[in-house]
Amino acid sequence: MDGVDLLIGTAVLALGTFAFRFAGPVLRSRVKLSPRAERLMALAAVVLLAAFAVVEARSANPLVPGRLAGSPRFLSALAVAFALTFATTPASVVGTAFFQAGQGLSPGVTGVLFAPFSLGVVAGSAVGARVLDRTGARVSATAGLGVVVVALAAATPAVSTSSTVLFAVSLAVSGCGLGAASVAATHAGTEVVADGDRGIASGLLNTAPQLGSAIGTAVIGAVARGPSPPHLATGLVVAASVALAGVLAATGLRAGVSSAVR
């Protein structure tokens, strides 16, 4: 039954995440739903995610083993990974609306303006690895998330003043922070677990940012879906708030954990 429980838990989680995403503005803009259907999709997402929690609690071999769920440092790493993509991935929604609808730029130019974000992630990961070696995961993750907060704070006036250059620069800076903090979160999350749990730990540390991307896009996209800059700015404020919450979660990545969770 362990294999069946694992399959059911995975399926319910996937369906719940899809329903939550479908209830958001990205897919909804392509598939027109009635208000009643939208409410039903949102309700289905809540019910399915709650069902996932029930399946996990009853399973003898849950997706998240109790020994990992009982590790504050591991949970902090998951929270940091989730907050990072929740705050940064929706930039694709806000940025696309800003560049194309607000600035009248073509899709090709918009794509080019997003390139610095990806380059920033690569550069941030390289620098973050060195900072991690010298200062530890908590300082490295906190600094990376702090950079994301600053970048999102800079993007808000960029939207309000219609500054394409400032918004593009904020994307690059945000990518740097994302790369640095992601390295720290992954290191802290895998370091604290026993050798036999590193596979599942790595999987969870990869799943957390995927969920952050999906849920962040749905939530922040819903806030910023209006065509005017004030709506976009509000979405950026929400993203910055989540990144700030991630800074608080990073305080749990404290050093001094010498033994792996068993």
Side-chain angles (χ1 to χ4, degrees):
M1 288 300 292
D2 289 348
V4 174
D5 287 344
L6 182 63
L7 180 61
I8 293 174
T10 303
V12 171
L13 178 60
L15 289 172
T17 304
F18 174 78
F20 193 94
R21 185 73 175 269
F22 198 94
V26 177
L27 291 179
R28 204 171 59 218
S29 64
R30 302 178 184 177
V31 182
K32 300 300 181 182
L33 298 176
S34 66
R36 182 180 180 182
E38 290 180 7
R39 290 193 294 270
L40 287 175
M41 287 299 296
L43 178 62
V46 173
V47 171
L48 286 167
L49 292 176
F52 168 73
V54 172
V55 171
E56 283 287 281
R58 297 179 60 182
S59 176
N61 187 27
L63 288 174
V64 184
R67 57 187 175 277
L68 296 184
S71 168
R73 194 180 193 204
F74 182 75
L75 294 180
S76 294
L78 289 180
V80 168
F82 178 88
L84 276 169
T85 53
F86 189 110
T88 57
T89 301
S92 61
V93 176
V94 177
T96 300
F98 173 69
F99 288 136
Q100 294 186 23
Q103 303 297 87
L105 301 178
S106 67
V109 173
T110 298
V112 171
L113 290 173
F114 273 109
F117 174 81
S118 299
L119 295 175
V121 173
V122 174
S125 298
V127 174
R130 295 185 179 182
V131 175
L132 175 65
D133 290 337
R134 296 183 179 182
T135 65
R138 180 170 61 175
V139 173
S140 182
T142 300
L145 279 160
V147 170
V148 171
V149 172
V150 171
L152 292 171
T156 303
V159 167
S160 301
T161 60
S162 298
S163 174
T164 300
V165 174
L166 181 56
F167 194 93
V169 170
S170 73
L171 284 176
V173 174
S174 171
C176 290
L178 170 62
S182 294
V183 169
T186 301
H187 172 80
T190 54
E191 182 186 47
V192 74
V193 302
D195 291 342
D197 286 330
R198 289 192 174 176
I200 183 64
S202 297
L204 291 171
L205 288 166
N206 183 61
T207 300
Q210 298 300 322
L211 289 175
S213 296
I215 297 175
T217 300
V219 172
I220 295 176
V223 174
R225 63 183 174 180
S228 58
H231 291 87
L232 300 181
T234 302
L236 291 170
V237 170
V238 173
S241 299
V242 173
L244 190 59
V247 172
L248 298 178
T251 61
L253 304 179
R254 59 188 181 280
V257 183
S258 58
S259 58
V261 177
R262 301 184 183 281

